[in-house]
Amino acid sequence: MNPVSVQSGRDEHSVLAVFQEAARQVDGSGRLAVTRETQISELGLDSVAVMELVAHVEQQLQIRIPDEQLTSASSIGHLVDVVERLLP
Amino acid sequence: VSSRRLREAFYREYQTFFERAERTRRWNLFTDIPWERLPAEPAGPVGADLALCAETFCGVEMYLPDYVAEHLALFRGDVGRAWFAAAWGYEESKHSLALREYLVRSGHRTESQMFDFGEAVLSRRWQAPFADARQMTIYGALQELTTFVIYRKQRELSESLGDPVLPTVYRLIARDEMAHARFYRRMIELHLDEDAEGTLQDLAEVLYRFRMPAEDLLADYDSRIAVMRTAGIDRGVFYREVVTPTLSAFNLTRHDLPLPRPRPVAPVSATSS
């Protein structure tokens, strides 16, 4: 994936879409549906896979999510909010 | 296949590991654990939960034949690591024995129950999660440190609940796990010295896809996890106490790692409505 420019909520490349694409890559089955409400525990991704998900998002958006946010987030929406705050 | 220079370095590290183990870390299942302090009758529900945790860890440790066989097959031509696998197998063999002895001597389980449990465990087979020797070395570092953290928490919990024996059992076996984790870390350092790029890629592959061994093999694992949750490890603990210290040992953070290679994406079959 090449890095993309994302302006939160203002174009088709929303932050959520970046998470959805990352989830597809991490899941491998191509069947993983991700929404803001999705709980991380519901994804079938264990705690380590969430690190991989976030690594994909960080590379795609050229940002760094603080470790404490990585470990405390309970839902995709929570992670999306964190990323939106980090974007310029 | 590792280079001769690397294999020689592995052997020197193994000599250091083995000397320290022989001089400072050997313990005796029969004389170093205060079995005589166990009460005549098993404790109540709290003791039952501690016993269920001990039985679960005993089960995971009982896949020893598969762990040793897989490691020896992988490292057979490498003296340092093959001998480490053998020494490691001896040390790990005492872990399930100590937990099993606790369960029987405390009265929480009978000999017959533990025999049945052991046969049920060994009716399934553990397979190495990675086929590559370097990746399995990295897996070993993470798995041993995770196990150390779990046992340390169980020691603290059993101590706080006043169990007279389990804290000693967990202290002894956790100390072994930490020694194993340190040995694996030294192996990774040597790999990084020889092939930094490839080793970083393998670190990413293993770190992001890590799972504890045998979690999908033990019967009733989900219900056992529910009981263990009070002294288990969640995402935060795993990250802070396993991932971060492991990477820090190599002066790395997760941001220094590349992305793992993509998994193959299964085609989504079209459905007509």
Side-chain angles (χ1 to χ4, degrees):
Chain A
M1 285 195 301
N2 295 320
V4 295
S5 173
V6 173
Q7 290 183 322
S8 172
R10 279 177 280 178
D11 67 26
E12 59 184 325
H13 296 296
S14 70
V15 172
L16 180 60
V18 175
F19 272 92
Q20 289 168 332
E21 173 57 24
R24 269 193 292 276
Q25 296 195 31
V26 172
D27 175 51
S29 73
R31 293 189 294 272
L32 189 60
V34 167
T35 69
R36 279 189 62 90
E37 289 69 38
T38 303
Q39 296 294 302
I40 289 170
S41 58
E42 293 172 13
L43 289 173
L45 305 172
D46 58 25
S47 58
V48 185
V50 171
M51 287 169 45
E52 184 183 354
L53 176 79
V54 164
H56 279 278
V57 171
E58 288 179 324
Q59 188 194 59
Q60 181 75 351
L61 301 179
Q62 299 289 289
I63 57 169
R64 289 189 174 192
I65 298 173
D67 286 347
E68 59 272 19
Q69 302 286 354
L70 171 66
T71 55
S72 64
S74 58
S75 67
I76 292 297
H78 187 159
L79 285 172
V80 168
D81 292 343
V82 169
V83 170
E84 287 183 336
R85 285 197 295 273
L86 291 170
L87 290 172
Chain B
V1 178
S2 306
S3 69
R4 178 187 171 111
R5 190 187 68 81
L6 206 49
R7 293 197 306 277
E8 287 176 338
F10 290 155
Y11 181 65
R12 285 193 294 274
E13 287 300 324
Y14 172 67
Q15 285 179 304
T16 302
F17 167 86
F18 188 62
E19 181 181 356
R20 284 187 187 151
E22 293 285 77
R23 288 183 188 280
T24 67
R25 200 163 45 76
R26 290 287 173 253
W27 56 275
N28 187 307
L29 174 68
F30 306 101
T31 58
D32 288 332
I33 298 171
W35 301 115
E36 71 283 358
R37 292 186 198 162
L38 282 169
E41 296 292 325
V46 172
D49 282 354
L50 285 175
L52 185 66
C53 292
E55 184 186 64
T56 303
F57 302 133
C58 180
V60 175
E61 297 271 9
M62 282 192 72
Y63 285 98
L64 184 73
D66 300 330
Y67 302 150
V68 173
E70 294 264 1
H71 280 84
L72 283 175
L74 201 54
F75 298 127
R76 192 206 165 277
D78 183 327
V79 176
R81 288 197 288 185
W83 259 247
F84 172 76
W88 175 89
Y90 160 69
E91 294 183 7
E92 294 283 342
S93 75
K94 294 195 298 184
H95 298 180
S96 59
L97 289 177
L99 293 164
R100 182 187 177 121
E101 280 298 301
Y102 168 79
L103 290 163
V104 173
R105 293 192 192 213
S106 67
H108 285 292
R109 301 287 187 275
T110 64
E111 287 278 7
S112 178
Q113 284 173 323
M114 289 311 297
F115 190 81
D116 289 343
F117 179 73
E119 296 223 312
V121 166
L122 290 179
S123 68
R124 296 181 178 184
R125 184 177 289 271
W126 178 83
Q127 291 182 310
F130 300 95
D132 176 82
R134 186 166 64 193
Q135 291 182 349
M136 278 306 292
T137 300
I138 295 166
Y139 180 79
L142 293 170
Q143 179 268 318
E144 297 283 347
L145 187 56
T146 306
T147 308
F148 166 82
V149 171
I150 291 170
Y151 286 164
R152 192 198 65 212
K153 287 182 174 293
Q154 286 293 316
R155 174 174 62 78
E156 292 166 352
L157 178 66
S158 57
E159 212 160 37
S160 71
L161 296 173
D163 189 287
V165 166
L166 269 182
T168 303
V169 171
Y170 284 123
R171 178 177 61 78
L172 291 169
I173 64 180
R175 194 176 61 174
D176 286 347
E177 306 291 4
M178 178 54 89
H180 301 160
R182 286 183 176 141
F183 178 80
Y184 281 123
R185 274 189 199 167
R186 276 297 297 144
M187 300 299 97
I188 298 169
E189 280 175 352
L190 293 168
H191 277 300
L192 280 166
D193 287 346
E194 181 160 287
D195 175 15
E197 187 181 346
T199 306
L200 285 175
Q201 185 67 53
D202 282 347
L203 271 166
E205 302 292 336
V206 177
L207 182 61
Y208 289 138
R209 288 157 192 187
F210 177 80
R211 283 178 179 278
M212 281 299 279
E215 69 174 23
D216 53 347
L217 294 178
L218 280 183
D220 308 324
Y221 192 77
D222 287 344
S223 58
R224 289 171 182 274
I225 282 287
V227 173
M228 290 194 292
R229 195 143 285 152
T230 49
I233 58 171
D234 59 16
R235 184 168 16 131
V237 171
F238 180 76
Y239 191 77
R240 283 191 303 276
E241 301 192 32
V242 177
V243 175
T244 302
T246 299
L247 293 177
S248 297
F250 315 123
N251 294 316
L252 297 171
T253 73
R254 67 184 175 89
H255 295 112
D256 296 312
L257 301 181
L259 288 176
R261 297 179 190 92
R263 293 177 173 86
V265 177
V268 179
S269 57
T271 54
S272 56
S273 56

